[in-house]
Amino acid sequence: MTRPDLSDIDFVKLLDQDPDLGLVIVSEQGEIVDYSTSTPSIFGVDPAIDFRGKTLSDVFEFEFADERMQWISEVLQTQQPLRVDHLYNGRRMVSTILPMRGDDQPRYVAAMTKRDGTTSGQSNEKSVVSGFLDLGPLSKLTKRELEVLILLGHGHSVPDVARKLYRSPRTVEQHKASIGRKLGVSAIADIARIVAVHGLKLEDLELERVLALRPEYRHEEANATESP
């Protein structure tokens, strides 16, 4: 039986079948060379804009782009893949940055990003966690409100949250009411769903909050909070 030739498969077209999986080709200098059609929606950018030829620093804020340039440099230097856990536009994502083989200059990496992905402890690839937290539509919450949201969403009661934060239950209820007004929810079940959908963890509170995408490239539909 003749084995199929993998070279006949259009892998980019195959990736386009999954709306939660994006692929970007980036040069050593940070130039966006190409990307799959699902990529703009994953990163919340305007799909009408062609990002080919733009650099990461053109599209993203400096600190966010600089962190990714460091990862690209490491991958090209070591010629080993790197897995990245990050929260972008309020959604948990896992990216795998792979060196592209070849002796020509400039060199390139392929970055595959899975929305709502999780890192696997069994992976042989080196893993890192982004130092930045892009909350997207949840950015309207204060740090304390985000803390209360995450604790309530992970099943802690109002009295439990009050004890953990050394605040009164009345203060926590006030934070909960403010969260409800900002996100358009009221029930604990709604809060739990938001925390689950966005993949929020208490460790995220340690990260530096940013809005990664430059304002001129943001797609308004991507910034709407998912309603329960």
Side-chain angles (χ1 to χ4, degrees):
M1 181 177 180
T2 305
R3 297 178 61 185
D5 187 351
L6 292 179
S7 64
D8 292 335
I9 300 175
D10 186 340
F11 284 99
V12 173
K13 187 175 181 180
L14 191 62
L15 288 171
D16 284 340
Q17 304 308 305
D18 187 342
D20 291 323
L21 185 63
L23 172 67
V24 184
I25 308 299
V26 184
S27 77
E28 187 174 19
Q29 288 73 36
E31 179 187 352
I32 300 169
V33 177
D34 205 355
Y35 51 88
S36 61
T37 57
S38 56
T39 300
S41 66
I42 290 175
F43 285 93
V45 300
D46 189 342
I49 299 175
D50 187 351
F51 291 90
R52 296 172 184 86
K54 298 184 185 296
T55 66
L56 295 181
S57 58
D58 289 333
V59 180
F60 300 104
E61 296 295 347
F62 170 77
E63 60 266 59
F64 188 86
D66 185 62
E67 183 181 49
R68 276 135 192 84
M69 287 302 300
Q70 292 178 42
W71 295 334
I72 290 171
S73 178
E74 178 180 341
V75 167
L76 290 174
Q77 192 170 42
T78 63
Q79 288 295 296
Q80 296 297 320
L82 182 69
R83 286 173 62 86
V84 180
D85 182 346
H86 50 132
L87 200 94
Y88 178 90
N89 201 30
R91 300 294 288 268
R92 181 71 56 191
M93 297 188 184
V94 172
S95 297
T96 302
I97 305 174
L98 300 148
M100 297 187 72
R101 303 296 179 185
D103 298 325
D104 296 335
Q105 295 290 339
R107 297 181 295 172
Y108 302 92
V109 299
M112 289 191 300
T113 297
K114 177 69 175 177
R115 183 163 51 194
D116 302 325
T118 57
T119 52
S120 171
Q122 298 179 346
S123 174
N124 293 326
E125 300 159 353
K126 179 180 177 181
S127 296
V128 296
V129 177
S130 174
F132 299 103
L133 178 70
D134 181 347
L135 289 168
L138 301 180
S139 295
K140 61 188 77 173
L141 301 180
T142 67
K143 183 175 181 180
R144 180 64 78 190
E145 288 168 350
L146 181 65
E147 196 170 21
V148 170
L149 175 83
I150 293 175
L151 285 168
L152 291 174
H154 281 282
H156 297 282
S157 66
V158 168
D160 287 341
V161 174
R163 283 192 292 272
K164 287 179 179 294
L165 301 182
Y166 302 100
R167 296 291 187 273
S168 69
R170 181 180 177 183
T171 299
V172 173
E173 286 286 3
Q174 290 172 340
H175 286 310
K176 179 174 173 287
S178 179
I179 292 167
R181 287 192 297 272
K182 291 180 178 181
L183 302 186
V185 298
S186 56
I188 291 291
D190 296 339
I191 289 176
R193 183 182 180 280
I194 287 175
V195 170
V197 165
H198 292 270
L200 295 170
K201 301 182 290 187
L202 279 174
E203 304 93 274
D204 295 329
L205 296 168
E206 312 270 330
L207 306 176
E208 181 179 345
R209 290 174 63 163
V210 298
L211 280 175
L213 199 62
R214 291 189 180 276
E216 60 267 34
Y217 295 121
R218 292 177 196 154
H219 190 40
E220 291 306 315
E221 290 181 9
N223 291 324
T225 306
E226 294 204 22
S227 300

